[in-house]
Amino acid sequence: MSVRTPLPTTHAACLCTLIAAASGQAQFLEPGSQALHEFIGVGGFGWAASELRDITGDGVMESMISAVNASGGTISLFNSATGDLLHEFKGTDFGVNGLGYALADAGFVDGDNIPDIVGGARSTGAVLIFSGSDYSLIHQVNQINPGEALGHAVAGVGDINNDGVDDVIAGAPLYDPPSGNNTGRVSVISGADGSILETVDGEDAGDQFGTAVSGVGDITGDGVCDFAVGAQNAGATAKGGVFVYNGATRELLFPRIDAESTGSNLGQFFVGPAGDANADGTPDVYAGDFGDSALGGSTGRCYVISGATGQVLFTRTGTTFLQGLGCGRLAGDINNDGHDDIVVGSYISRDAANNAGKIDVFSGADGSILRTVTNTVAGYQFGFDAVGIGDVNGDNLIDFLVAAGGQNRAFIVRGELYCLADVNQNGAAEPTDFNAWVAAFNAGDRKADQNRDESITPSDFTAWIDNYNTGCP
């Protein structure tokens, strides 16, 4: 069994989360890679990260980061555009421990047309849904039996029962049905009243069904969001598996997707949307196995699974042992080729320093690497979690929310042109990009910074010519 490297413990006197946000250059290896905001906390801050649809009205997604060991667990909500802290939910205020073990956008639960927040408090065994407008508690759902670990994973799934209110799902991987201990269960929770609409149980004892859950979009075309579930010990060799369900009927859409032979715990924490990776019009599914041993212990592997067929479209592994690749999900279409891409953290990567971590953006079309951001500070574990959060700074490039759980940090990493010469972002380096470069230069737009020295000068024109002659990958 693979478990992510434990976060450093914090002295009890410091467990009240302290948050700071700063903009500027972080310790990244690649030219042009910069943090728009750096968030700093304590108590396991950076355990989990999630996007939240816009609640401030600025058209930009918000960012959520949890700290599982602070004040009964906390979920910190940030304005992604400014870096300001909007609110901190504390487990102690609601009588729970471990709040933020999982967190997600809950959808529109309380009827005010502002996205709400769902958090899991695994230690207590509870799921809490909070208002995105006034931060009040909408519903709290507690586990039925002690030790089920309800709240290990949570996700919004839209209006799954057609009552006009969005619903959520939650995993309880240590639930014990008649089939045996730790089989696991996923509960579908009504957004309207917090009741359990239905439950879906794992297959076999020890599977720990529900170690990850996620809405994945409408695969079946019936207007209802479908969902995926991870079971970290499922399969004949107990190396993990992924299940994809029809949201309307809760029926399994495909046979279980099993880990590769070198797998470890496929579906532990990381199952999520992959967007439309293969551009066939059907949403696809992401899954991670950060303990896969393809090139030695904790190499890590990620999977992109066809929503149309349930077949694996491609996998990617870490470049060496001790990379821990697999922490991620949907990035968005960063190279404008019509295929959604994925962002994946290798949280214990040693490429620049021991346990510094990195993220890679992989093409949804073929799995090739579109971008890498490598942290250079030992122990950061940058890439502990990662997700695309759209354009937060108005430069028409997709930015990323990345947790660095080893040092109680998280970053919003600035988007980057996939092809530097393609200034007008139409997917090719063409003569018309010269006019686009001139416009960017006159506007002070960083797309004109072709030599990536963080300044815009006439020398960037020569750099653009060089980039143009090199062409796009």
Side-chain angles (χ1 to χ4, degrees):
M1 175 178 175
S2 174
V3 178
R4 290 199 293 181
T5 304
L7 295 173
T9 57
T10 304
H11 192 277
C14 299
L15 284 181
C16 179
T17 305
L18 304 174
I19 304 294
S23 299
Q25 182 67 45
Q27 299 294 320
F28 301 133
L29 186 64
E30 293 77 15
S33 293
Q34 191 175 60
L36 295 173
H37 303 295
E38 178 180 2
F39 307 114
I40 305 172
V42 298
F45 184 81
W47 172 258
S50 177
E51 78 288 5
L52 176 70
R53 281 168 290 183
D54 177 27
I55 67 170
T56 61
D58 61 0
V60 174
M61 288 187 186
E62 321 304 348
S63 298
M64 300 189 290
I65 307 291
S66 68
V68 291
N69 298 322
S71 303
T74 63
I75 296 173
S76 297
L77 173 60
F78 296 95
N79 182 313
S80 298
T82 66
D84 293 335
L85 177 66
L86 297 173
H87 190 74
E88 184 181 63
F89 302 95
K90 297 180 180 180
T92 51
D93 291 340
F94 304 98
V96 299
N97 285 312
L99 179 64
Y101 195 88
L103 71 170
D105 184 325
F108 303 102
V109 174
D110 60 1
D112 61 4
N113 206 35
I114 295 175
D116 302 309
I117 298 110
V118 58
R122 183 188 188 277
S123 299
T124 297
V127 175
L128 293 84
I129 302 175
F130 302 103
S131 168
S133 58
D134 63 12
Y135 311 129
S136 62
L137 180 66
I138 301 172
H139 302 302
Q140 180 171 332
V141 180
N142 297 316
Q143 62 189 10
I144 298 173
N145 301 304
E148 293 179 356
L150 179 66
H152 182 106
V154 296
V157 288
D159 182 9
I160 212 165
N161 63 339
N162 199 31
D163 66 351
V165 180
D166 286 348
D167 308 303
V168 302
I169 56 176
L174 303 186
Y175 172 76
D176 299 336
S179 54
N181 290 346
N182 298 341
T183 297
R185 163 174 283 184
V186 168
S187 296
V188 181
I189 300 171
S190 167
D193 59 14
S195 63
I196 304 297
L197 297 174
E198 191 167 346
T199 59
V200 182
D201 289 352
E203 296 176 334
D204 298 305
D207 279 0
Q208 294 194 29
F209 180 82
T211 48
V213 297
S214 179
V216 293
D218 182 11
I219 289 174
T220 59
D222 61 359
V224 177
C225 181
D226 303 305
F227 62 90
V229 179
Q232 68 179 39
N233 295 330
T237 57
K239 294 180 178 179
V242 176
F243 303 77
V244 183
Y245 289 91
N246 183 310
T249 66
R250 271 71 85 184
E251 295 175 347
L252 195 62
L253 290 177
F254 317 112
R256 182 187 65 230
I257 298 99
D258 286 335
E260 297 280 351
S261 60
T262 56
S264 174
N265 296 109
L266 177 63
Q268 183 183 9
F269 298 118
F270 297 103
V271 166
D276 188 2
N278 60 349
D280 65 352
T282 301
D284 302 309
V285 180
Y286 173 85
D289 182 355
F290 51 85
D292 187 289
S293 59
L295 300 175
S298 296
T299 299
R301 185 189 297 267
C302 67
Y303 299 67
V304 173
I305 300 159
S306 169
T309 67
Q311 300 298 306
V312 175
L313 296 173
F314 65 83
T315 73
R316 288 298 304 256
T317 67
T319 52
T320 67
F321 69 100
L322 293 181
Q323 289 283 318
L325 180 145
C327 314
R329 50 203 177 277
L330 176 65
D333 182 7
I334 75 160
N335 60 341
N336 301 299
D337 66 350
H339 295 258
D340 283 321
D341 309 307
I342 56 172
V343 57
V344 185
S346 296
Y347 76 105
I348 52 173
S349 170
R350 302 165 298 151
D351 288 10
N354 190 43
N355 283 333
K358 68 176 181 179
I359 60 169
D360 290 298
V361 180
F362 296 110
S363 166
D366 59 14
S368 61
I369 295 177
L370 302 179
R371 184 184 179 192
T372 298
V373 181
T374 307
N375 190 279
T376 61
V377 182
Y380 260 46
Q381 295 186 358
F382 177 81
F384 206 82
D385 201 352
V387 63
I389 56 170
D391 176 16
V392 307
N393 62 338
D395 64 358
N396 201 32
L397 298 169
I398 293 173
D399 306 307
F400 305 100
L401 177 62
V402 184
Q407 290 295 325
N408 294 301
R409 282 168 164 77
F411 300 87
I412 295 181
V413 177
R414 184 176 66 185
E416 179 65 287
L417 284 169
Y418 168 61
C419 173
L420 288 177
D422 181 21
V423 183
N424 63 13
Q425 297 178 256
N426 69 351
E430 301 171 334
T432 55
D433 285 301
F434 169 70
N435 294 330
W437 179 85
V438 171
F441 180 86
N442 290 332
D445 187 327
R446 65 173 295 266
K447 297 184 188 71
D449 178 17
Q450 291 285 298
N451 59 17
R452 287 306 187 250
D453 64 356
E454 299 302 326
S455 63
I456 300 172
T457 66
S459 64
D460 285 302
F461 175 62
T462 301
W464 177 81
I465 293 174
D466 290 341
N467 292 330
Y468 175 82
N469 289 332
T470 300
C472 294

Coordinates of all heavy atoms in Angstrom, one line a residue, residues 38-79:
E38 N 1.2 33.3 -3.8 CA 1.7 32.3 -2.9 C 0.9 32.4 -1.6 O 0.8 33.4 -1.0 CB 3.2 32.4 -2.7 CG 3.7 31.3 -1.7 CD 5.2 31.4 -1.4 OE1 5.8 32.4 -2.0 OE2 5.7 30.6 -0.7
F39 N 0.3 31.3 -1.2 CA -0.5 31.2 0.0 C 0.3 30.4 1.0 O 0.8 29.3 0.7 CB -1.9 30.6 -0.2 CG -2.6 31.2 -1.4 CD1 -2.9 30.5 -2.5 CD2 -3.1 32.5 -1.3 CE1 -3.6 31.1 -3.5 CE2 -3.8 33.1 -2.3 CZ -4.1 32.4 -3.4
I40 N 0.4 30.9 2.3 CA 1.2 30.2 3.3 C 0.3 30.0 4.5 O -0.4 30.9 5.0 CB 2.4 31.1 3.7 CG1 3.2 31.4 2.4 CG2 3.2 30.3 4.7 CD1 4.3 32.4 2.7
G41 N 0.4 28.8 5.1 CA -0.4 28.5 6.3 C 0.4 27.5 7.2 O 1.6 27.4 7.0
V42 N -0.4 26.9 8.1 CA 0.2 25.9 9.0 C -0.7 24.8 9.1 O -1.8 24.8 8.6 CB 0.5 26.5 10.4 CG1 1.5 27.7 10.3 CG2 -0.8 27.0 11.1
G43 N -0.3 23.8 9.9 CA -1.2 22.7 10.2 C -1.6 21.8 9.1 O -2.8 21.3 9.0
G44 N -0.7 21.5 8.2 CA -1.0 20.7 7.0 C -1.6 21.4 5.9 O -2.3 20.8 5.0
F45 N -1.4 22.7 5.9 CA -2.0 23.6 4.8 C -1.4 23.1 3.5 O -0.2 22.9 3.3 CB -1.6 25.0 5.0 CG -2.1 26.0 4.1 CD1 -3.4 26.5 4.2 CD2 -1.3 26.5 3.0 CE1 -3.9 27.4 3.3 CE2 -1.8 27.4 2.1 CZ -3.1 27.9 2.2
G46 N -2.2 22.9 2.5 CA -1.8 22.4 1.2 C -2.1 20.9 1.0 O -1.7 20.3 0.1
W47 N -2.9 20.4 2.0 CA -3.3 19.0 1.9 C -4.2 18.7 0.6 O -3.9 17.8 -0.1 CB -4.1 18.5 3.1 CG -4.7 17.2 3.0 CD1 -6.0 16.9 2.8 CD2 -4.0 15.9 3.1 NE1 -6.2 15.5 2.7 CE2 -5.0 14.9 2.9 CE3 -2.7 15.6 3.4 CZ2 -4.7 13.6 3.0 CZ3 -2.4 14.2 3.4 CH2 -3.4 13.2 3.2
A48 N -5.1 19.6 0.4 CA -6.0 19.4 -0.8 C -6.3 20.8 -1.4 O -6.3 21.8 -0.7 CB -7.3 18.7 -0.4
A49 N -6.5 20.9 -2.7 CA -6.8 22.1 -3.4 C -7.9 21.9 -4.3 O -8.1 20.8 -4.9 CB -5.5 22.6 -4.2
S50 N -8.7 22.9 -4.5 CA -9.8 22.8 -5.5 C -10.2 24.2 -6.0 O -10.0 25.2 -5.3 CB -11.1 22.2 -4.8 OG -12.2 22.2 -5.7
E51 N -10.6 24.2 -7.3 CA -11.2 25.4 -7.8 C -12.6 25.6 -7.3 O -13.3 24.6 -6.9 CB -11.2 25.3 -9.4 CG -12.3 24.4 -10.0 CD -12.1 22.9 -9.8 OE1 -11.2 22.5 -9.1 OE2 -12.9 22.1 -10.3
L52 N -13.2 26.8 -7.3 CA -14.6 27.1 -7.0 C -15.0 28.1 -8.0 O -14.4 29.1 -8.3 CB -14.7 27.6 -5.6 CG -16.1 28.1 -5.2 CD1 -17.0 26.8 -5.0 CD2 -16.1 28.9 -3.9
R53 N -16.1 27.8 -8.7 CA -16.7 28.8 -9.6 C -16.8 30.2 -8.9 O -17.0 30.3 -7.7 CB -18.0 28.3 -10.2 CG -17.8 27.3 -11.3 CD -19.1 26.5 -11.7 NE -19.5 25.7 -10.6 CZ -20.6 24.9 -10.7 NH1 -21.3 24.9 -11.8 NH2 -20.9 24.1 -9.7
D54 N -16.9 31.2 -9.7 CA -16.8 32.6 -9.3 C -17.9 32.9 -8.3 O -19.1 32.7 -8.6 CB -16.9 33.5 -10.5 CG -17.0 35.0 -10.2 OD1 -16.4 35.3 -9.1 OD2 -17.5 35.7 -10.9
I55 N -17.5 33.4 -7.1 CA -18.5 33.8 -6.1 C -18.4 35.3 -5.9 O -19.3 35.9 -5.2 CB -18.4 33.1 -4.8 CG1 -17.1 33.4 -4.1 CG2 -18.5 31.6 -5.0 CD1 -17.0 32.9 -2.6
T56 N -17.4 36.0 -6.4 CA -17.2 37.4 -6.1 C -17.7 38.3 -7.2 O -17.8 39.5 -7.1 CB -15.7 37.7 -5.9 OG1 -15.0 37.4 -7.1 CG2 -15.1 36.9 -4.7
G57 N -18.1 37.7 -8.4 CA -18.6 38.5 -9.5 C -17.6 39.1 -10.4 O -18.0 39.9 -11.2
D58 N -16.3 38.7 -10.3 CA -15.3 39.2 -11.1 C -15.0 38.4 -12.3 O -14.1 38.7 -13.1 CB -14.0 39.5 -10.3 CG -13.4 38.2 -9.7 OD1 -14.0 37.1 -10.0 OD2 -12.4 38.3 -9.1
G59 N -15.8 37.3 -12.5 CA -15.6 36.4 -13.6 C -14.4 35.4 -13.5 O -14.1 34.7 -14.5
V60 N -13.8 35.3 -12.4 CA -12.7 34.5 -12.1 C -13.0 33.4 -11.1 O -13.6 33.7 -10.1 CB -11.5 35.4 -11.7 CG1 -10.3 34.5 -11.3 CG2 -11.1 36.4 -12.7
M61 N -12.5 32.2 -11.4 CA -12.7 31.1 -10.4 C -12.0 31.5 -9.1 O -10.9 32.1 -9.1 CB -12.1 29.8 -10.9 CG -12.9 29.2 -12.0 SD -12.2 27.5 -12.3 CE -13.2 27.1 -13.8
E62 N -12.5 31.0 -8.0 CA -11.8 31.2 -6.7 C -11.0 29.9 -6.4 O -11.1 28.9 -7.1 CB -12.8 31.4 -5.6 CG -14.0 32.2 -5.9 CD -13.7 33.6 -6.4 OE1 -12.6 34.1 -6.3 OE2 -14.7 34.3 -6.9
S63 N -10.1 30.0 -5.4 CA -9.2 28.9 -5.0 C -9.5 28.5 -3.5 O -9.8 29.3 -2.7 CB -7.8 29.3 -5.1 OG -7.4 29.7 -6.4
M64 N -9.5 27.2 -3.3 CA -9.7 26.6 -2.0 C -8.5 25.7 -1.6 O -8.1 24.9 -2.4 CB -11.0 25.8 -1.9 CG -12.3 26.6 -2.2 SD -13.8 25.7 -1.8 CE -13.8 24.5 -3.1
I65 N -8.0 25.9 -0.4 CA -6.9 25.1 0.1 C -7.3 24.6 1.5 O -7.8 25.4 2.3 CB -5.6 25.9 0.2 CG1 -5.3 26.6 -1.1 CG2 -4.5 25.0 0.7 CD1 -4.9 25.6 -2.2
S66 N -7.0 23.4 1.9 CA -7.3 22.9 3.2 C -6.0 22.6 4.0 O -4.9 22.5 3.5 CB -8.1 21.6 3.1 OG -7.3 20.5 2.6
A67 N -6.2 22.7 5.3 CA -5.2 22.4 6.3 C -5.8 21.4 7.3 O -6.5 21.8 8.2 CB -4.7 23.6 7.0
V68 N -5.5 20.1 7.2 CA -6.3 19.1 8.0 C -5.9 19.1 9.4 O -6.7 18.5 10.2 CB -6.1 17.7 7.4 CG1 -6.8 17.6 6.0 CG2 -4.6 17.4 7.2
N69 N -4.8 19.7 9.9 CA -4.4 19.6 11.3 C -4.6 20.9 12.0 O -4.2 21.0 13.1 CB -2.9 19.2 11.4 CG -2.7 17.8 10.8 OD1 -3.5 16.9 10.9 ND2 -1.6 17.6 10.1
A70 N -5.3 21.9 11.4 CA -5.4 23.2 12.0 C -6.9 23.4 12.5 O -7.8 23.3 11.6 CB -5.0 24.3 11.1
S71 N -7.1 23.7 13.7 CA -8.4 24.1 14.2 C -9.5 23.2 13.8 O -10.6 23.6 13.4 CB -8.7 25.5 13.7 OG -7.7 26.5 14.1
G72 N -9.2 21.9 14.0 CA -10.2 20.9 13.6 C -10.3 20.7 12.1 O -11.2 20.1 11.6
G73 N -9.3 21.2 11.4 CA -9.3 21.2 10.0 C -9.9 22.4 9.4 O -10.9 22.9 9.9
T74 N -9.2 23.0 8.4 CA -9.8 24.3 7.9 C -9.8 24.2 6.3 O -9.1 23.4 5.7 CB -8.9 25.5 8.2 OG1 -7.6 25.3 7.6 CG2 -8.7 25.6 9.7
I75 N -10.7 25.0 5.8 CA -10.8 25.2 4.4 C -10.7 26.7 4.2 O -11.5 27.5 4.7 CB -12.1 24.7 3.7 CG1 -12.2 23.2 3.9 CG2 -12.2 25.1 2.3 CD1 -13.6 22.6 3.4
S76 N -9.6 27.1 3.5 CA -9.4 28.5 3.2 C -9.8 28.9 1.8 O -9.4 28.2 0.9 CB -7.9 28.9 3.5 OG -7.6 28.7 4.8
L77 N -10.6 29.9 1.7 CA -11.2 30.3 0.4 C -10.6 31.6 0.0 O -10.6 32.6 0.8 CB -12.7 30.5 0.5 CG -13.5 31.0 -0.6 CD1 -13.3 30.2 -1.9 CD2 -15.0 31.2 -0.2
F78 N -10.0 31.7 -1.2 CA -9.2 32.8 -1.7 C -9.8 33.4 -2.9 O -10.3 32.6 -3.8 CB -7.8 32.5 -1.9 CG -7.0 32.1 -0.7 CD1 -6.8 30.7 -0.4 CD2 -6.4 33.0 0.1 CE1 -6.1 30.3 0.7 CE2 -5.6 32.6 1.2 CZ -5.5 31.3 1.5
N79 N -9.8 34.7 -3.1 CA -10.0 35.3 -4.4 C -8.8 35.1 -5.2 O -7.7 35.6 -4.9 CB -10.3 36.8 -4.1 CG -10.6 37.6 -5.4 OD1 -9.9 37.5 -6.4 ND2 -11.6 38.4 -5.3

